[in-house]
Amino acid sequence: MAKKRPQTKAKRPQPQDGARAAVADGQVPVVGAREPCPCGSGRRYKACHGRAAAHAVTELVQRPFEGLPGEGDWIALRELVPAATVALHLKESLPEGVPSVTLATVLPMAWPALRREDGSVLIGLQNDTASGDISRDLADTLQRALTAEPGTPVQARRAPGDGPRLQDLLDPEGAFEPVVHEGFEFWVPDAQNASTEVTASLERANAAAIPTVKLAGVEAAYWCETPDKNHLRWVMPHPEEQLLDALARLHAAGASSLGEGTRLVGSFRAHGLTVPVWDLPTGVTAEDVEKPASEFAERLSAALATDAPLTADERRARGGLTNRQVTLS
């Protein structure tokens, strides 16, 4: 039989000087997943301190835009609106050479962000994110875009689990005023000199864009036109159970429509809020539903203030609305 080799204890990898100081302070630096953990445990980072960091960035945040001005509009631009932009206002002054930061529903080539030649920054909202916290991912993209070279896009990556969120970077008092566009021409300040790839992407995006209008009289309500019928989709900030009760009361009373030929057909959940949806006849425009929507908002406010138990008809109406509810996120 072969003799057993004497076992020797492998020397435990030690943190580098910079990492050693951080570990001494109770902070473990982020390194590559397969690299030795800076804490000196001898295990790979992903199996040691990286495990908690990965969990922190993958845990789903139900309301990622909560606390931001215009939460309902953030959700609408993320899920409903094809082409729109919003000027963003940061807590801190913009870095030198960055004249503005603009949120956009979509950017060419599905870029997460773009630093234009003039130094301005565009952030794309309708992108897949690497973690369960859209707010943290967007904040990481924003920070990298502020220091990117002019004329370059910012690529996607997994945001650090302890990185800032949008709520940490944006001015809570700053206005959030979406501008809805018919197409994506805002991508290209000088369309004639755009690259072939960007031009082709622009043409595809414009061809797929559904005509959409933001109502002026109520918050976070968007009319859209489709070949068969038009719709109104309205992101509402109220607690879901309370809102469904109120909608059921109005529906049972025949007061849930927005005028002749219109119908409340259901709702969906998106990023922690409920979005009721109305079918509208093809000829009904956004302007046509401005007044009915404002009147509905008054009826809804009264129904939300009612805490009496639902009647049998109202329970049936609520069941119908709940059965037609879809969760988007």
Side-chain angles (χ1 to χ4, degrees):
M1 295 179 60
K3 293 183 179 179
K4 293 184 179 180
R5 293 182 179 179
Q7 295 182 349
T8 59
K9 292 185 179 180
K11 186 178 180 181
R12 176 175 291 184
Q14 297 299 312
Q16 299 297 319
D17 291 341
R20 186 181 293 112
V23 172
D25 291 337
Q27 299 177 353
V28 178
V30 176
V31 298
R34 294 180 176 276
E35 294 181 34
C37 187
C39 75
S41 66
R43 291 180 291 173
R44 290 179 177 178
Y45 178 70
K46 69 176 183 179
C48 192
H49 282 84
R51 181 178 299 172
H55 176 74
V57 297
T58 55
E59 187 174 1
L60 180 63
V61 175
Q62 299 291 342
R63 287 181 64 178
F65 307 116
E66 185 177 13
L68 292 173
E71 180 184 7
D73 287 312
W74 277 93
I75 293 172
L77 267 57
R78 168 79 180 182
E79 300 294 341
L80 309 177
V81 182
T85 55
V86 189
L88 295 183
H89 306 277
L90 277 60
K91 289 181 179 179
E92 305 293 336
S93 299
L94 292 175
E96 185 177 354
V98 180
S100 63
V101 176
T102 302
L103 180 75
T105 47
V106 181
L107 293 180
M109 317 301 294
W111 289 326
L114 170 66
R115 179 101 184 268
R116 283 178 163 162
E117 293 286 356
D118 66 356
S120 61
V121 167
L122 288 177
I123 304 293
L125 181 57
Q126 294 180 13
N127 288 311
D128 292 335
T129 55
S131 80
D133 187 353
I134 298 171
S135 178
R136 195 180 307 280
D137 288 331
L138 288 171
D140 178 68
T141 299
L142 171 56
Q143 287 189 313
R144 290 186 291 129
L146 292 174
T147 59
E149 288 294 325
T152 60
V154 173
Q155 303 301 326
R157 76 168 190 181
R158 180 183 291 275
D162 58 352
R165 307 178 73 239
L166 288 174
Q167 289 82 346
D168 301 316
L169 302 182
L170 300 184
D171 182 357
E173 303 299 325
F176 191 83
E177 300 173 345
V179 177
V180 179
H181 304 277
E182 293 183 0
F184 295 88
E185 281 71 22
F186 65 85
W187 283 355
V188 191
D190 185 5
Q192 292 182 346
N193 295 321
S195 69
T196 303
E197 284 185 333
V198 171
T199 300
S201 182
L202 176 61
E203 291 176 353
R204 289 193 300 270
N206 281 343
I210 296 174
T212 302
V213 177
K214 185 182 189 302
L215 297 195
V218 294
E219 296 292 328
Y222 291 80
W223 170 96
C224 69
E225 180 182 20
T226 62
D228 296 329
K229 62 185 70 175
N230 299 342
H231 305 278
L232 183 72
R233 299 176 289 188
W234 191 341
V235 187
M236 295 188 171
H238 317 291
E240 181 180 3
E241 296 302 315
Q242 182 186 8
L243 176 59
L244 289 175
D245 282 353
L247 291 173
R249 295 181 197 279
L250 295 176
H251 202 59
S256 64
S257 77
L258 299 175
E260 184 178 355
T262 70
R263 187 167 67 99
L264 174 64
V265 293
S267 64
F268 57 84
R269 300 184 190 92
H271 306 292
L273 295 185
T274 303
V275 187
V277 179
W278 285 262
D279 279 352
L280 313 172
T282 300
V284 174
T285 66
E287 186 176 356
D288 292 334
V289 294
E290 284 281 6
K291 183 179 179 182
S294 295
E295 293 171 346
F296 178 85
E298 294 179 2
R299 298 196 299 272
L300 179 64
S301 179
L304 287 166
T306 302
D307 58 4
L310 295 180
T311 66
D313 287 344
E314 291 168 347
R315 288 197 300 272
R316 281 192 291 271
R318 193 185 194 282
L321 291 172
T322 303
N323 289 338
R324 296 190 297 273
Q325 191 175 50
V326 176
T327 300
L328 293 185
S329 56

